[in-house]
Amino acid sequence: MTYPLLQCSKPEAARPEVQSMAHISENISEKENQKPNDDNWIFVNTEVAVMGDVFKPLTLTVDSLKKMNVKEIKDFDIVSHSGITKEHIKSVKGVLLKEILEKAKISQQDHTDRNFYIVARASDDYKATFSWAELFNNPTGDKTYVVFEKDEKPLKEEGEMILISLSDTKTDTRHVKWLKSIEVTRVQ
């Protein structure tokens, strides 16, 4: 049995809006699969500022994190927004984000004052956002870390400190490499 060949007079790929979307998709894929290179070193920070609506702004370093309540997290995957496992992590060490925020003391007026959001910002301006309730009244708070060590070695190409949220299904979307600041802002 033979099947007739169908041809379109104007292929879908020739339409400008489809070409534009293909270009965007191509760029996202390239960025998503970017391997560390010499250019990435410009993003590496040795300090992370905890600032904004806090009573005690902090400057975190690897050494200051090591003096806090360090947890070891084992065997998890970094999963991209498309569902592809990008990396399997055997072991990391870090400190819960909510413990860092408790040390900085969010500027709450009383126990009902909970309208804050927290932005983890990278030096390349990538951002991950959390609500106060998400970190302090939800399991997410028990699975969001500022990490400084991977597989018993200091972090390097990803920056000295990164932020990970292991409660997310797609862990890569709030995986902040080259962490530069943790910004607390009151919702207006």
Side-chain angles (χ1 to χ4, degrees):
M1 176 181 259
T2 59
Y3 294 96
L5 292 174
L6 297 176
Q7 291 185 348
C8 297
S9 60
K10 186 173 185 181
E12 287 293 309
R15 291 191 354 231
E17 64 273 14
V18 174
Q19 287 178 341
S20 174
M21 290 186 71
H23 179 68
I24 290 168
S25 177
E26 217 173 83
N27 286 344
I28 290 169
S29 294
E30 285 175 19
K31 188 172 184 179
E32 197 175 84
N33 295 317
Q34 185 178 22
K35 301 284 184 230
N37 61 41
D38 291 337
D39 294 339
N40 290 345
W41 289 106
I42 63 171
F43 298 120
V44 174
N45 296 305
T46 58
E47 298 179 340
V48 173
V50 182
M51 58 193 198
D53 287 315
V54 295
F55 289 119
K56 295 164 77 174
L58 302 173
T59 300
L60 302 173
T61 63
V62 170
D63 288 338
S64 67
L65 287 174
K66 287 180 178 179
K67 293 175 185 170
M68 297 177 75
N69 184 18
V70 175
K71 307 262 190 212
E72 183 174 14
I73 308 98
K74 294 184 176 189
D75 292 315
F76 63 92
D77 293 327
I78 301 299
V79 179
S80 74
H81 71 281
S82 59
I84 297 168
T85 299
K86 293 175 66 175
E87 181 180 9
H88 177 76
I89 308 286
K90 292 178 187 172
S91 171
V92 295
K93 287 186 181 174
V95 176
L96 284 169
L97 175 59
K98 73 178 186 178
E99 289 181 5
I100 293 168
L101 294 170
E102 286 169 348
K103 187 171 182 168
K105 297 191 185 276
I106 293 176
S107 304
Q108 294 176 275
Q109 303 306 313
D110 58 42
H111 73 281
T112 62
D113 187 13
R114 303 179 197 122
N115 291 316
F116 294 88
Y117 62 92
I118 295 88
V119 175
R121 184 183 308 268
S123 44
D124 68 347
D125 210 34
Y126 184 86
K127 296 176 266 312
T129 305
F130 299 86
S131 69
W132 178 94
E134 194 175 12
L135 293 173
F136 292 96
N137 194 29
N138 187 295
T140 299
D142 295 325
K143 293 183 176 188
T144 303
Y145 296 89
V146 174
V147 171
F148 57 86
E149 186 177 291
K150 181 166 99 176
D151 298 329
E152 300 181 14
K153 294 179 184 159
L155 298 175
K156 290 294 176 205
E157 288 101 6
E158 298 177 335
E160 289 195 10
M161 293 164 272
I162 63 173
L163 183 125
I164 57 171
S165 177
L166 298 177
S167 64
D168 295 347
T169 307
K170 312 278 175 64
T171 50
D172 189 47
T173 58
R174 292 199 288 189
H175 181 178
V176 182
K177 300 175 184 179
W178 310 303
L179 185 61
K180 175 177 88 171
S181 62
I182 298 166
E183 304 161 14
V184 179
T185 305
R186 179 183 298 279
V187 176
Q188 299 297 322

Coordinates of all heavy atoms in Angstrom, one line a residue, residues 100-138:
I100 N 18.3 31.1 58.4 CA 19.1 32.3 58.0 C 18.2 33.5 58.2 O 18.6 34.5 58.8 CB 19.6 32.3 56.6 CG1 20.7 31.2 56.5 CG2 20.2 33.6 56.2 CD1 21.1 30.8 55.1
L101 N 16.9 33.4 57.8 CA 16.0 34.5 57.9 C 15.6 34.8 59.4 O 15.4 35.9 59.8 CB 14.7 34.3 57.1 CG 15.0 34.3 55.6 CD1 13.8 33.8 54.8 CD2 15.4 35.7 55.1
E102 N 15.5 33.7 60.2 CA 15.3 33.8 61.6 C 16.4 34.6 62.3 O 16.2 35.4 63.2 CB 15.1 32.5 62.3 CG 13.7 31.9 61.9 CD 13.6 30.4 62.3 OE1 14.6 29.8 62.7 OE2 12.4 29.9 62.2
K103 N 17.6 34.3 61.9 CA 18.8 35.0 62.4 C 18.8 36.5 62.0 O 19.1 37.4 62.8 CB 20.1 34.3 61.9 CG 21.3 34.9 62.6 CD 22.5 34.0 62.2 CE 23.8 34.6 62.9 NZ 24.9 33.8 62.9
A104 N 18.4 36.8 60.8 CA 18.3 38.2 60.3 C 17.1 38.9 60.9 O 17.0 40.1 60.9 CB 18.2 38.2 58.8
K105 N 16.1 38.2 61.4 CA 14.9 38.7 62.0 C 14.1 39.6 61.1 O 14.3 40.8 61.0 CB 15.2 39.5 63.3 CG 15.8 38.6 64.4 CD 15.8 39.3 65.7 CE 16.5 38.5 66.8 NZ 15.8 37.5 67.5
I106 N 13.2 39.0 60.4 CA 12.3 39.7 59.5 C 11.5 40.7 60.3 O 11.1 40.5 61.4 CB 11.3 38.7 58.8 CG1 12.1 37.8 57.8 CG2 10.2 39.5 58.0 CD1 11.3 36.8 57.1
S107 N 11.3 41.9 59.7 CA 10.7 43.1 60.4 C 9.2 42.9 60.6 O 8.5 43.8 60.2 CB 11.0 44.4 59.7 OG 12.4 44.5 59.5
Q108 N 8.8 41.9 61.4 CA 7.4 41.7 61.6 C 7.0 42.6 62.8 O 7.7 42.6 63.8 CB 7.1 40.2 61.9 CG 7.4 39.3 60.7 CD 7.2 37.9 61.1 OE1 8.1 37.3 61.6 NE2 6.0 37.3 60.9
Q109 N 5.8 43.2 62.7 CA 5.3 44.0 63.8 C 4.8 43.1 65.0 O 4.9 43.4 66.1 CB 4.3 45.0 63.3 CG 4.7 45.9 62.2 CD 6.0 46.7 62.6 OE1 6.1 47.3 63.6 NE2 7.0 46.7 61.7
D110 N 4.1 42.0 64.6 CA 3.6 41.1 65.5 C 3.4 39.7 64.8 O 3.8 39.6 63.6 CB 2.3 41.5 66.2 CG 1.2 41.8 65.1 OD1 1.0 41.0 64.2 OD2 0.5 42.8 65.3
H111 N 2.9 38.7 65.5 CA 2.8 37.4 64.9 C 1.8 37.3 63.7 O 1.8 36.4 63.0 CB 2.4 36.4 66.0 CG 1.0 36.4 66.4 ND1 0.5 37.4 67.3 CD2 -0.1 35.7 66.1 CE1 -0.7 37.2 67.5 NE2 -1.2 36.2 66.8
T112 N 0.9 38.3 63.6 CA 0.0 38.3 62.4 C 0.6 39.0 61.2 O 0.0 39.0 60.1 CB -1.3 38.9 62.8 OG1 -1.1 40.3 63.1 CG2 -2.0 38.2 64.0
D113 N 1.7 39.6 61.4 CA 2.4 40.4 60.3 C 3.2 39.4 59.4 O 4.4 39.1 59.7 CB 3.2 41.5 60.9 CG 3.8 42.4 59.8 OD1 3.4 42.4 58.7 OD2 4.7 43.2 60.2
R114 N 2.6 38.9 58.4 CA 3.3 37.8 57.6 C 3.3 38.1 56.1 O 3.6 37.2 55.3 CB 2.5 36.5 57.7 CG 2.3 36.1 59.1 CD 1.5 34.8 59.2 NE 1.1 34.6 60.6 CZ -0.2 34.5 60.9 NH1 -1.1 34.5 60.0 NH2 -0.5 34.3 62.1
N115 N 3.1 39.3 55.7 CA 3.0 39.7 54.3 C 4.4 40.1 53.7 O 4.6 41.3 53.5 CB 1.9 40.7 54.0 CG 0.6 40.2 54.2 OD1 0.3 39.1 53.8 ND2 -0.3 40.9 54.9
F116 N 5.2 39.1 53.5 CA 6.6 39.4 53.0 C 6.9 38.4 51.9 O 6.3 37.3 51.9 CB 7.6 39.1 54.1 CG 7.5 40.1 55.3 CD1 6.7 39.9 56.4 CD2 8.3 41.3 55.3 CE1 6.6 40.7 57.4 CE2 8.2 42.2 56.3 CZ 7.4 41.9 57.4
Y117 N 7.7 38.8 51.0 CA 8.3 37.9 50.0 C 9.8 37.9 50.1 O 10.4 39.0 50.4 CB 7.7 38.1 48.6 CG 8.0 39.4 48.0 CD1 9.1 39.6 47.2 CD2 7.1 40.5 48.2 CE1 9.3 40.8 46.6 CE2 7.4 41.7 47.6 CZ 8.5 41.9 46.8 OH 8.7 43.1 46.2
I118 N 10.4 36.8 49.7 CA 11.8 36.7 49.8 C 12.4 36.4 48.4 O 11.9 35.5 47.8 CB 12.3 35.6 50.8 CG1 11.8 36.0 52.2 CG2 13.8 35.3 50.8 CD1 10.5 35.6 52.6
V119 N 13.3 37.2 47.9 CA 13.9 37.0 46.6 C 15.4 36.5 46.8 O 16.2 37.2 47.5 CB 13.9 38.2 45.8 CG1 14.6 38.0 44.4 CG2 12.4 38.7 45.5
A120 N 15.7 35.4 46.3 CA 17.1 34.9 46.2 C 17.6 35.3 44.8 O 17.1 34.9 43.8 CB 17.2 33.4 46.4
R121 N 18.6 36.2 44.8 CA 19.1 36.8 43.6 C 20.6 36.4 43.3 O 21.4 36.4 44.2 CB 19.1 38.3 43.7 CG 19.5 39.0 42.4 CD 19.5 40.6 42.6 NE 18.2 41.1 43.1 CZ 17.2 41.5 42.4 NH1 17.3 41.5 41.1 NH2 16.1 41.9 43.0
A122 N 20.8 36.0 42.1 CA 22.1 35.6 41.6 C 22.8 36.8 41.0 O 22.2 37.8 40.7 CB 22.0 34.5 40.6
S123 N 24.2 36.7 40.9 CA 24.9 37.8 40.3 C 24.6 38.0 38.8 O 24.9 39.1 38.3 CB 26.4 37.7 40.6 OG 26.8 36.4 40.4
D124 N 24.0 37.0 38.2 CA 23.6 37.2 36.8 C 22.2 37.7 36.7 O 21.6 37.7 35.7 CB 23.8 36.0 35.9 CG 22.9 34.8 36.3 OD1 22.3 34.9 37.4 OD2 22.8 33.8 35.6
D125 N 21.6 38.1 37.9 CA 20.2 38.6 38.1 C 19.1 37.5 37.9 O 18.0 37.9 37.8 CB 20.0 39.8 37.2 CG 19.0 40.7 37.8 OD1 19.0 40.9 39.1 OD2 18.1 41.3 37.1
Y126 N 19.5 36.3 37.9 CA 18.5 35.2 38.0 C 17.8 35.3 39.4 O 18.5 35.6 40.4 CB 19.1 33.8 37.8 CG 18.1 32.7 37.8 CD1 17.5 32.4 36.6 CD2 17.8 32.0 38.9 CE1 16.5 31.4 36.5 CE2 16.8 31.0 38.9 CZ 16.2 30.7 37.7 OH 15.3 29.7 37.7
K127 N 16.5 35.1 39.5 CA 15.8 35.3 40.8 C 14.9 34.1 41.1 O 14.3 33.6 40.1 CB 15.0 36.6 40.8 CG 15.8 37.8 40.7 CD 15.0 39.1 40.6 CE 14.6 39.5 39.2 NZ 15.6 39.7 38.2
A128 N 14.8 33.8 42.3 CA 13.8 32.8 42.8 C 13.0 33.5 43.9 O 13.7 34.1 44.8 CB 14.4 31.5 43.3
T129 N 11.7 33.3 43.9 CA 10.9 34.1 44.9 C 10.1 33.1 45.8 O 9.6 32.1 45.3 CB 9.9 35.0 44.2 OG1 10.6 35.8 43.3 CG2 9.1 35.8 45.1
F130 N 10.1 33.4 47.1 CA 9.3 32.6 48.1 C 8.4 33.6 48.9 O 8.8 34.7 49.1 CB 10.3 32.0 49.0 CG 11.2 31.0 48.4 CD1 12.4 31.5 47.9 CD2 11.0 29.7 48.3 CE1 13.3 30.6 47.3 CE2 11.8 28.8 47.7 CZ 13.0 29.2 47.2
S131 N 7.3 33.1 49.3 CA 6.5 33.9 50.2 C 6.9 33.5 51.7 O 7.5 32.5 51.9 CB 5.0 33.6 50.0 OG 4.7 32.3 50.5
W132 N 6.5 34.4 52.6 CA 6.8 34.2 54.0 C 6.1 32.9 54.4 O 6.7 32.0 55.0 CB 6.3 35.3 54.9 CG 6.5 35.1 56.4 CD1 7.5 35.5 57.1 CD2 5.6 34.4 57.2 NE1 7.4 35.0 58.4 CE2 6.2 34.4 58.5 CE3 4.4 33.7 57.1 CZ2 5.6 33.7 59.6 CZ3 3.8 33.1 58.2 CH2 4.4 33.1 59.4
A133 N 4.8 32.7 54.0 CA 4.1 31.5 54.4 C 4.7 30.2 53.8 O 4.7 29.2 54.5 CB 2.6 31.7 53.9
E134 N 5.2 30.3 52.6 CA 5.8 29.2 52.0 C 7.0 28.7 52.8 O 7.3 27.5 52.9 CB 6.3 29.6 50.6 CG 6.6 28.5 49.7 CD 6.9 29.0 48.3 OE1 7.1 30.2 48.1 OE2 7.0 28.2 47.4
L135 N 7.8 29.6 53.4 CA 9.0 29.2 54.1 C 8.7 28.9 55.6 O 9.4 28.0 56.2 CB 10.1 30.3 54.1 CG 10.7 30.5 52.7 CD1 11.6 31.7 52.7 CD2 11.4 29.2 52.2
F136 N 7.7 29.6 56.2 CA 7.5 29.4 57.7 C 6.2 28.7 58.0 O 6.0 28.4 59.2 CB 7.5 30.8 58.3 CG 8.9 31.4 58.3 CD1 9.2 32.3 57.3 CD2 9.8 31.1 59.2 CE1 10.5 32.9 57.3 CE2 11.1 31.6 59.2 CZ 11.4 32.6 58.2
N137 N 5.4 28.4 57.1 CA 4.1 27.7 57.4 C 3.8 26.6 56.3 O 2.7 26.4 55.9 CB 3.0 28.7 57.4 CG 1.7 28.2 58.0 OD1 1.8 27.3 58.9 ND2 0.6 28.7 57.6
N138 N 4.9 26.0 55.8 CA 4.7 25.0 54.7 C 5.9 24.1 54.7 O 7.0 24.6 55.1 CB 4.6 25.9 53.4 CG 4.3 25.1 52.2 OD1 5.0 24.2 51.8 ND2 3.1 25.4 51.6

